[in-house]
Amino acid sequence: MTVDFSFKRAPSYRVATLARKGGWDEKKLRGQFKTLAEWANKNHIRTGRWLFFEPDMKTFVAGIEVKGKAKGHGRIRLRTFPAATVASVTFNPDDVSPRVIYHGLNDWLRWRKKDKEIKRVLSSREVYTGDPWSGPKVWAHTEIQFVVKK
């Protein structure tokens, strides 16, 4: 499997999000995604990509792209991520450790910054084409995006 980093233009995402404070817990993250998916299904909302990001070291946010009209409910909030330039890599976590990908992408971006190709890195997120726990096909195309300012 070949893994390579590249810059690309990511589309804007309108996302229903559910945040949780505390330590990393995959079981709880799956629960957040399950809650979002049930909410979307109950309200007949078409969905798209699934996103995961950490605004800080103790907050974990699950998000599902919504298509069409939707209103948040309870702890579910709607937010829009504008289209942006991202440093991106798509890989299979069963073949390559995410830790290696994150470190490699960080180093690659550090050199792009040193070469003045980018000004700074703004945030990071993981993007999936659907439920990453639904089957190996979605999981095998995990995408990591670092939003950058050129």
Side-chain angles (χ1 to χ4, degrees):
M1 168 182 233
T2 302
V3 176
D4 200 7
F5 310 125
S6 64
F7 289 112
K8 72 176 192 176
R9 190 78 179 156
S12 68
Y13 297 108
R14 185 160 180 257
V15 181
T17 62
L18 190 56
R20 182 185 62 78
K21 289 203 179 276
W24 168 254
D25 188 338
E26 185 177 334
K27 190 175 180 182
K28 289 181 181 177
L29 179 64
R30 287 177 85 159
Q32 287 173 262
F33 276 119
K34 182 180 177 191
T35 300
L36 287 167
E38 288 171 351
W39 167 82
N41 193 29
K42 178 182 164 191
N43 291 296
H44 308 289
I45 298 169
R46 290 182 315 123
T47 61
R49 298 189 182 278
W50 291 38
L51 292 90
F52 164 71
F53 59 98
E54 300 172 63
D56 58 56
M57 296 299 285
K58 289 292 183 179
T59 304
F60 299 91
V61 182
I64 296 180
E65 182 181 20
V66 295
K67 299 179 179 191
K69 292 184 178 183
K71 285 187 176 182
H73 177 74
R75 292 182 28 232
I76 297 173
R77 302 281 183 250
L78 289 173
R79 62 194 308 176
T80 300
F81 296 114
T85 301
V86 297
S88 173
V89 59
T90 302
F91 69 105
N92 183 346
D94 291 333
D95 293 341
V96 181
S97 170
R99 182 178 297 157
V100 171
I101 297 296
Y102 273 102
H103 283 288
L105 189 54
N106 274 320
D107 286 347
W108 185 74
L109 287 170
R110 188 173 339 141
W111 281 101
R112 300 293 74 77
K113 191 174 175 183
K114 203 172 196 177
D115 292 341
K116 301 200 185 309
E117 197 173 332
I118 63 171
K119 289 183 181 175
R120 65 180 201 227
V121 177
L122 302 173
S123 63
S124 68
R125 57 192 176 207
E126 293 180 17
V127 181
Y128 305 93
T129 55
D131 180 356
W133 296 283
S134 65
K137 187 174 181 181
V138 175
W139 183 248
H141 289 89
T142 297
E143 181 180 6
I144 308 250
Q145 296 179 350
F146 278 63
V147 180
V148 298
K149 182 171 176 124
K150 283 199 163 203

